[in-house]
C-alpha cells in the first residue's frame, strides 16, 4: 500500500468516526433532555413500555380487523344490524345515565346537606348497591317480577290485585325493566363522588348568595350545582361506560345491544362481524369520552381560604317524604335483592348446593382474580412511578395506552386476547392464564389510580436525595418508595380483585373447558332458572366485594 492510499484511509476513518460519534452524542443529548438530565432505569422503562403495549392490544386488534373486514360486510351490517343496535345501545345509555345521575345527586344532597336521621349510616348503606353486580340484580328481579315470580304469587291469589296487574302489566323483560335494574345498581357511582364534593363545599359562597336575597332553590341551581359539575361528570362517564359495556344484565333480560350482539356473533364463529360491531362500540365510547372532556373545560373553583363546613338544611315537614324516598331506594337496591339471595341460598344449602363443585368454582375465582390482583399491583408500580417522577411525552403516552383497556368492554378485550394467543402464543391458548390477563388489561388502571394517589403524597425530594447517593430509580422504587405507598398499592389490588370477581363477558369467552368461576355459574344457572344453585354464588360474590368497599368508605 503506497503512502497516498494510506493517507486516504486515515482521512476516511477520521471522517466516519466523528459522524457516528456525533449521531450517538446527539441521541444521548436528546434522550437526557427528554428526562431533564435524569433518565429512568432501563428495566423500569422496558417493563412499563411492554405493559402499555399489551394493554393496547385489544383496541389495535379491533381496529386492524375491522379495517380489513371488507366493504360488503360493513354495508350489510350497516343496513341490517347496526342501526337497531345503535338505537338500543344509545337510548339505554342515555336514559340510565340521566336517571342514575338524578338519583345519585338527589340522594347525596339528602344525606350530606339535610338533617336526615342517621346521615352517616346512610352514606354507607346507599353505597352498597355498588357491590351487587347488575346481572345478580337482574336475576333477583326476575325472581320477583318475572312471569311466575313472587309478585305473581301474591296477586294471583287476590282477584282485585290480579285485575289491576292485568290492566297495567309489569314486564321485567323490557326496555324499562332493564333501565330500572341498571339504574338501581349504578347510581352509587354518582352518589359517592357527589357526596365527597358536597362535604368539601365551602359555606361562604352560600352565605354570600343568601345575603343577596337568593332563595334556597336559587342557591342550589346557581351555586351548589356548578360546584358539583366535575363530580356529576365523573359519575356520569362511569355510568355511561358501564352501560355500554354491560353484558350480564342485558343478556338475562333478553335485550340486544352491541355487547350482547358481539357475544352472539362470537358464539356463531363470525369473528369478522364481531370486530366490526366492536369498532362501532369503540367509536361510541370515544364520542362519550370526548363529550365529557369538552364539557369539563367549563368548571367552577373554590377560591376562598376561610373554609366553613356546609350547614345542614332543616327538612321540616318534608322530612317524612325525603326519608321515604331514601328508604324506598335502599329497599329496592339492597334489601329485596339480599332477601331473594338469602332465601334461595337457604334452599340451595338444604339441597346440597354447597358441594365440591361450588368450592371448585370459588377456588377458580380466587385463583384468577388473585393472579390478576398480584400482577396488577406489580405492573402498576413502574407505570405510576415513571408518570410521577419522570414526566415526559414518552411517559404520558405510556400512561394513556395503559388506560385504554379500562374504557373497553370486557368482550372486546377478550376478542383481542383470543386473536393474539390463538395466532402467535398458542402455548397459553385455552388456559386460565388468559382470563387473568384479560382482568389485568381491564382493571390495571384501578391499581394505578390507587397507587398514584398515595405516591402523590410522597415528596419527590426523597427520590432526589436517594439518587444523589448513587441509587438507581429501580432501587429507589422498591427500597424506598414502595414501603411508603404500600397501603395505596394494596387498596388498588383489592379493587382489582373485587372487579375481577364480577367480570362476566371476558370470563365467558376465555374460560377453558371445565374451568368455571362464580360469575359464570351465576349467569349459567340463572339463565336456566336454577336459582338455588345461582344464589349462593351470588351471595358470596357480594360478601367478598363488601369488605374493600367498607374499608374505602372508612378512609
Amino acid at each position: 500500500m503506497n503512502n497516498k492510499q494510506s493517507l486516504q484511509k486515515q482521512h476516511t476513518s477520521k471522517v466516519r468516526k466523528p459522524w457516528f460519534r456525533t449521531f450517538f452524542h446527539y441521541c444521548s443529548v436528546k434522550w437526557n433532555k427528554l428526562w431533564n438530565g435524569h433518565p429512568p432505569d432501563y428495566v423500569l422503562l422496558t417493563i412499563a413500555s411492554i405493559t402499555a403495549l399489551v394493554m393496547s392490544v385489544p383496541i389495535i386488534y379491533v381496529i386492524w380487523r375491522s379495517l380489513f373486514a371488507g366493504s360488503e360486510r360493513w354495508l350489510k351490517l350497516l343496513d341490517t344490524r347496526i342501526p337497531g343496535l345503535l338505537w338500543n345501545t344509545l337510548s339505554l345509555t342515555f336514559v340510565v345515565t340521566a336517571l342514575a345521575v338524578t338519583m345519585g345527586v338527589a340522594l347525596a344532597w339528602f344525606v350530606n346537606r339535610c338533617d336526615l336521621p342517621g346521615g352517616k349510616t346512610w352514606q354507607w348503606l346507599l353505597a352498597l348497591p355498588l357491590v351487587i353486580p347488575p346481572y345478580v340484580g337482574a336475576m333477583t328481579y326476575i325472581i320477583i317480577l318475572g312471569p311466575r315470580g313472587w309478585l305473581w304469587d301474591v296477586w294471583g291469589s287476590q282477584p282485585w290485585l290480579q285485575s289491576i296487574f292485568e290492566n297495567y302489566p309489569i314486564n321485567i323483560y323490557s326496555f324499562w325493566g332493564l333501565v330500572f335494574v341498571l339504574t338501581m345498581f349504578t347510581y352509587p357511582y354518582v352518589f359517592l363522588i357527589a357526596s365527597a364534593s358536597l362535604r368539601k363545599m365551602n359555606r361562604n359562597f352560600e352565605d354570600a348568595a343568601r345575603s343577596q336575597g337568593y332563595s334556597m332553590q336559587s342557591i342550589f341551581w346557581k351555586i351548589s350545582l356548578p360546584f358539583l359539575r366535575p363530580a356529576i361528570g365523573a359519575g356520569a362517564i362511569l355510568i355511561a361506560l358501564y352501560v355500554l359495556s354491560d353484558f350480564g344484565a342485558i343478556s338475562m333480560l333478553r335485550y340486544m345491544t352491541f355487547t350482547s350482539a358481539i357475544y352472539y356473533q362470537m358464539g356463531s364463529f363470525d369473528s369478522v362481524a364481531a370486530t366490526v360491531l366492536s369498532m362501532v362500540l369503540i367509536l361510541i365510547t370515544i364520542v362519550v369520552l370526548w363529550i365529557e372532556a369538552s364539557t369539563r373545560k367549563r368548571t367552577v373553583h373554590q377560591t376562598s381560604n376561610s373554609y366553613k363546613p356546609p350547614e345542614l338544611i332543616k327538612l321540616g315537614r318534608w322530612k317524612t317524604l325525603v326519608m321515604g324516598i331514601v328508604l324506598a331506594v335502599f329497599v329496592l337496591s339492597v334489601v329485596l335483592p339480599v332477601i331473594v339471595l338469602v332465601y334461595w341460598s337457604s334452599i340451595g344449602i338444604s339441597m346440597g348446593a354447597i358441594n365440591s363443585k361450588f368450592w371448585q368454582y370459588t377456588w377458580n375465582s380466587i385463583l384468577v382474580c388473585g393472579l390478576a390482583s398480584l400482577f396488577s399491583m406489580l405492573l402498576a408500580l413502574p407505570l405510576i412511578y415513571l408518570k410521577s417522577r419522570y414526566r415526559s411525552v414518552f411517559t404520558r403516552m405510556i400512561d394513556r395506552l395503559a388506560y385504554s383497556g379500562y374504557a373497553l368492554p370486557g368482550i372486546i378485550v377478550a376478542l383481542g386476547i383470543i386473536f393474539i394467543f390463538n395466532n402467535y402464543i398458542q402455548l397459553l391458548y385455552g388456559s386460565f392464564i388468559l382470563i387473568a390477563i384479560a382482568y389485568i388489561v381491564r382493571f390495571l388502571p384501578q391499581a394505578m389510580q390507587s397507587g398514584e394517589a398515595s405516591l402523590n403524597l410522597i415528596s419527590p425530594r426523597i427520590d432526589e436525595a436517594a439518587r444523589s447517593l448513587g441509587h438507581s430509580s429501580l432501587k429507589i422504587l422498591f427500597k424506598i418508595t414502595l414501603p411508603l405507598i404500600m397501603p395505596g398499592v394494596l387498596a388498588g389490588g383489592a379493587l382489582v380483585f373485587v372487579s375481577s370477581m364480577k367480570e362476566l363477558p371476558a370470563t365467558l369467552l376465555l374460560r377453558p373447558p371445565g374451568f368455571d368461576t362464580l360469575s359464570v355459574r351465576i349467569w349459567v344457572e340463572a339463565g336456566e332458572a336454577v336459582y338455588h344453585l345461582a344464589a349462593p354464588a351470588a351471595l358470596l360474590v357480594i360478601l367478598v366485594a363488601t369488605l374493600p368497599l367498607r374499608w374505602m368508605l372508612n378512609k
Side-chain angles (χ1 to χ4, degrees):
M1 181 182 297
N2 54 32
N3 293 333
K4 186 177 181 180
Q5 290 177 337
S6 177
L7 289 173
Q8 288 178 349
K9 185 176 181 181
Q10 290 178 9
H11 177 72
T12 304
S13 62
K14 287 179 181 180
V15 173
R16 288 182 178 177
K17 193 172 183 181
W19 184 87
F20 282 107
R21 284 183 178 179
T22 303
F23 175 76
F24 286 117
H25 177 72
Y26 175 80
C27 293
S28 177
V29 169
K30 287 295 184 180
W31 181 254
N32 286 307
K33 186 178 180 181
L34 181 65
W35 309 104
N36 295 321
H38 298 286
D41 190 280
Y42 287 104
V43 175
L44 284 180
L45 198 59
T46 302
I47 294 173
S49 301
I50 294 174
T51 303
L53 288 175
V54 172
M55 295 288 285
S56 62
V57 161
I59 192 169
I60 293 173
Y61 159 74
V62 170
I63 294 173
W64 179 262
R65 288 296 301 272
S66 61
L67 290 176
F68 293 96
S71 57
E72 293 184 2
R73 182 63 62 90
W74 271 96
L75 291 174
K76 181 179 179 181
L77 290 172
L78 285 171
D79 289 338
T80 57
R81 301 293 304 280
I82 291 179
L85 293 174
L86 201 60
W87 169 254
N88 289 350
T89 303
L90 293 180
S91 59
L92 181 68
T93 303
F94 177 79
V95 174
V96 171
T97 303
L99 292 177
V101 166
T102 304
M103 183 183 297
V105 172
L107 292 173
W109 184 266
F110 294 153
V111 171
N112 294 278
R113 295 301 310 275
C114 302
D115 61 337
L116 195 69
K120 291 185 178 180
T121 304
W122 286 116
Q123 185 73 35
W124 151 247
L125 293 177
L126 292 175
L128 280 176
L130 198 63
V131 305
I132 303 176
Y135 57 84
V136 172
M139 179 187 75
T140 59
Y141 273 101
I142 289 172
I143 295 172
I144 297 172
L145 302 176
R148 288 296 181 267
W150 288 5
L151 194 59
W152 174 266
D153 294 338
V154 172
W155 83 53
S157 59
Q158 302 293 332
W160 64 279
L161 281 176
Q162 189 173 3
S163 62
I164 293 176
F165 285 107
E166 284 178 355
N167 294 325
Y168 303 98
I170 298 176
N171 182 14
I172 192 63
Y173 296 103
S174 66
F175 173 81
W176 291 109
L178 181 58
V179 165
F180 169 77
V181 169
L182 289 177
T183 302
M184 284 292 109
F185 299 101
T186 57
Y187 80 82
Y189 288 113
V190 174
F191 172 75
L192 290 174
I193 301 174
S195 295
S197 296
L198 284 171
R199 288 194 295 269
K200 296 177 181 178
M201 196 171 292
N202 197 332
R203 195 176 73 194
N204 289 338
F205 298 97
E206 295 184 6
D207 291 342
R210 198 176 291 111
S211 67
Q212 298 295 321
Y214 281 77
S215 64
M216 198 64 223
Q217 183 178 3
S218 298
I219 291 174
F220 173 79
W221 289 105
K222 295 183 178 181
I223 306 296
S224 302
L225 198 60
F227 279 126
L228 286 175
R229 163 66 192 88
I232 294 172
I237 198 67
L238 289 175
I239 294 170
L241 291 177
Y242 187 88
V243 176
L244 286 173
S245 64
D246 184 75
F247 169 76
I250 288 173
S251 63
M252 283 188 178
L253 295 179
R254 303 170 187 172
Y255 197 75
M256 188 65 69
T257 61
F258 275 102
T259 50
S260 53
I262 293 167
Y263 178 80
Y264 295 129
Q265 289 290 349
M266 287 298 297
S268 60
F269 302 100
D270 191 355
S271 60
V272 177
T275 55
V276 171
L277 298 177
S278 299
M279 185 62 193
V280 178
L281 184 56
I282 289 174
L283 293 175
I284 295 173
T285 303
I286 292 173
V287 170
V288 171
L289 292 172
W290 175 80
I291 292 173
E292 198 279 331
S294 61
T295 56
R296 194 193 311 159
K297 296 177 182 178
R298 299 182 61 183
T299 57
V300 180
H301 302 281
Q302 298 187 114
T303 57
S304 176
N305 293 324
S306 55
Y307 172 78
K308 291 182 181 179
E311 184 180 1
L312 292 181
I313 301 170
K314 304 295 182 182
L315 289 172
R317 59 192 178 94
W318 297 102
K319 184 175 291 186
T320 303
L321 176 62
V322 171
M323 194 66 189
I325 294 173
V326 173
L327 275 173
V329 173
F330 178 66
V331 169
L332 291 173
S333 60
V334 178
V335 176
L336 281 179
V338 170
I339 289 175
V340 171
L341 294 178
V342 170
Y343 171 79
W344 278 105
S345 294
S346 63
I347 294 176
I349 292 172
S350 65
M351 297 177 64
I354 309 299
N355 51 21
S356 59
K357 289 185 177 180
F358 176 84
W359 295 118
Q360 184 62 50
Y361 304 148
T362 304
W363 167 247
N364 291 343
S365 297
I366 293 174
L367 177 61
V368 293
C369 296
L371 285 174
S373 177
L374 176 62
F375 280 95
S376 292
M377 289 187 288
L378 293 175
L379 295 174
L381 287 173
L383 291 167
I384 63 174
Y385 188 74
L386 290 175
K387 179 183 178 182
S388 176
R389 299 299 192 253
Y390 296 90
R391 298 180 181 273
S392 68
V393 176
F394 194 71
T395 52
R396 284 198 298 270
M397 182 178 65
I398 289 177
D399 181 68
R400 290 175 182 175
L401 287 176
Y403 272 86
S404 61
Y406 196 50
L408 296 178
I411 198 164
I412 296 179
V413 172
L415 284 176
I417 290 175
I418 289 172
F419 174 76
I420 293 298
F421 283 86
N422 186 33
N423 289 281
Y424 304 108
I425 316 176
Q426 296 182 356
L427 180 64
L428 294 178
Y429 188 75
S431 69
F432 67 88
I433 300 295
L434 298 190
I435 305 177
I437 294 173
Y439 292 164
I440 294 170
V441 174
R442 285 276 287 129
F443 305 118
L444 176 63
Q446 293 183 348
M448 292 172 59
Q449 289 171 345
S450 181
E452 187 177 352
S454 297
L455 183 59
N456 289 336
L457 299 176
I458 308 300
S459 174
R461 293 183 179 179
I462 297 177
D463 302 65
E464 294 172 2
R467 195 183 301 116
S468 67
L469 296 174
H471 293 297
S472 65
S473 54
L474 182 64
K475 191 173 182 179
I476 294 171
L477 173 60
F478 286 99
K479 292 289 185 178
I480 299 173
T481 307
L482 180 58
L484 296 174
I485 65 171
M486 184 59 75
V489 173
L490 294 176
L495 284 174
V496 173
F497 186 88
V498 170
S499 300
S500 302
M501 286 284 288
K502 299 188 294 183
E503 173 62 30
L504 179 61
T507 314
L508 283 172
L509 285 177
L510 296 174
R511 62 191 173 109
F515 190 92
D516 285 352
T517 62
L518 290 173
S519 60
V520 171
R521 294 319 304 173
I522 295 169
W523 187 76
V524 171
E525 304 294 0
E528 298 177 357
V530 189
Y531 299 124
H532 70 279
L533 296 179
L539 203 57
L540 182 59
V541 169
I542 293 173
L543 290 175
V544 170
T546 302
L547 299 177
L549 177 66
R550 181 63 175 171
W551 181 81
M552 285 185 292
L553 290 178
N554 286 335
K555 290 296 180 181

